[in-house]
Amino acid sequence: MTNILVTGGAGYIGSHACKALARAGYVPVTYDNLVTGWQDAVKFGPFERGDLLDRSRLDEVFDKYRPAAVMHFAALSQVGEAMAEPGRYWRNNVTGSLNLIEAAVAAECVDFVFSSTCATYGDHDNVVLDESTLQQPLNAYGASKRAIEEILRDFEHAHGLNHVIFRYFNVAGADPDGEVGEYHRPETHLVPVLLDTIDGNRDALTVFGTDYDTPDGTCIRDYVHVCDLVDAHVLGLEWLEQGKGSRVFNLGTGSGFSVMEVIAQSRSVTNREVPYEIGPRRAGDCTKLVSGSTRAQAELGWKPKRSRLETMVTDAWRWHQTGLYQK
Ligand code: UDP
């Protein structure tokens, strides 16, 4: 059996990736400090508690499992927080990733799959966002991810580190079997906050700005189902195993939905009213982030299966109703 080191395997996307890896015949070894992850989301392989800033712990885990590849999800990922605490974001995301990359190279583990983000692009009016778009991040989260991409490129040149970089658009939904799902504390992402509000656990959703240059004035995002997203990661791993070399892929569907459209979809899926109020813009938000690339489909053979907005909200609602997200 082939071990894959999954950093952040106790988190939202990482736990879904572990399930997809186990299903594909790999052993996902979770490395997570449990600051934002949850130990009981680690269901599909061994768990090693550790921090990316702890190089000796990383070396110990590489030595114990001799992984064939790394999937690196562990990161702080909230735009608002990144604006307020950039130092934490740079230290955790960039210094932590550098430690991990150096530990991987030292262990001769040179296939690396990295979660990056469309937040590295920043705002580009009327420009199709594909993998060649200039990266001009608006916040420390996007900037930290762009820096890690650059580190990966330098380590490829110097040490032969083969890497697949996935730039995610907005991830939503949950495992349709209900084994894992989204649970952030605090939760800030639109779909889970909406469902929590609909469920009566919050007074109202605040819509962050209605004065953007979009048809209804609210921000537009490209939502992709977490199960489709992690399927792409397994394909990315196979790509590296086949020696196809380093590559960047956007992961989005190419369809954008405004905040108001997501609210309307949630109303229709849950058949309940959505209390919301209009608030000011959130610092660091881009107007519109929609993928203009089909590279992942064309080159990896990626086929999103659950990424219709209705399916994503339905799966997220099913997970929400299990109550497991409330730990
Ligand atoms: N959003 C909002 N109210 C909320 C949370 C999010 O209006 O309580 C908006 C946010 O401004 C953005 C979109 O929903 O336009 C998606 O935000 P999210 O935090 O889910 O993801 P991000 O795009 O920041 O990665």
Side-chain angles (χ1 to χ4, degrees), residues 79 170 188-190 193 205-208 219 221 223 259 282 285:
V79 170
N170 284 59
T188 62
H189 291 112
L190 179 61
V193 169
L205 172 93
T206 303
V207 175
F208 295 141
C219 292
R221 295 288 181 272
Y223 293 86
V259 175
R282 181 174 66 177
D285 266 345

Side-chain angles (χ1 to χ4, degrees), residues 2-6 62 66-71 109-113 237 240-241:
T2 307
N3 291 335
I4 308 296
L5 186 68
V6 183
F62 272 102
R66 299 264 137 220
V70 176
M71 271 194 195
C109 172
V110 291
D111 283 350
F112 199 100
V113 179
L237 183 60
L240 290 173
E241 284 171 351

Side-chain angles (χ1 to χ4, degrees), residues 77-80 117-119 141 169-171 188-194 202 205-209 212 218-221 223 259 281-282 285-287 289:
S77 64
Q78 288 172 26
V79 170
T117 167
C118 63
Y141 167 58
F169 285 69
N170 284 59
V171 188
T188 62
H189 291 112
L190 179 61
V191 172
V193 169
L194 254 173
R202 297 169 187 246
L205 172 93
T206 303
V207 175
F208 295 141
Y212 286 95
T218 64
C219 292
I220 293 178
R221 295 288 181 272
Y223 293 86
V259 175
R281 289 183 177 202
R282 181 174 66 177
D285 266 345
C286 301
T287 305
L289 289 167

Side-chain angles (χ1 to χ4, degrees), residues 1-6 9 13-30 41-46 71 73 175 177 179-180 227 230-231 233-235 237-238 241:
M1 296 281 266
T2 307
N3 291 335
I4 308 296
L5 186 68
V6 183
I13 301 172
S15 60
H16 287 79
C18 287
K19 179 164 180 171
L21 283 167
R23 189 181 273 167
Y26 297 96
V27 178
V29 178
T30 289
V42 184
K43 299 182 170 180
F44 310 101
M71 271 194 195
F73 296 97
D175 171 29
D177 305 330
E179 286 192 280
V180 280
C227 292
V230 299
D231 283 351
H233 286 64
V234 176
L235 294 170
L237 183 60
E238 290 167 2
E241 284 171 351

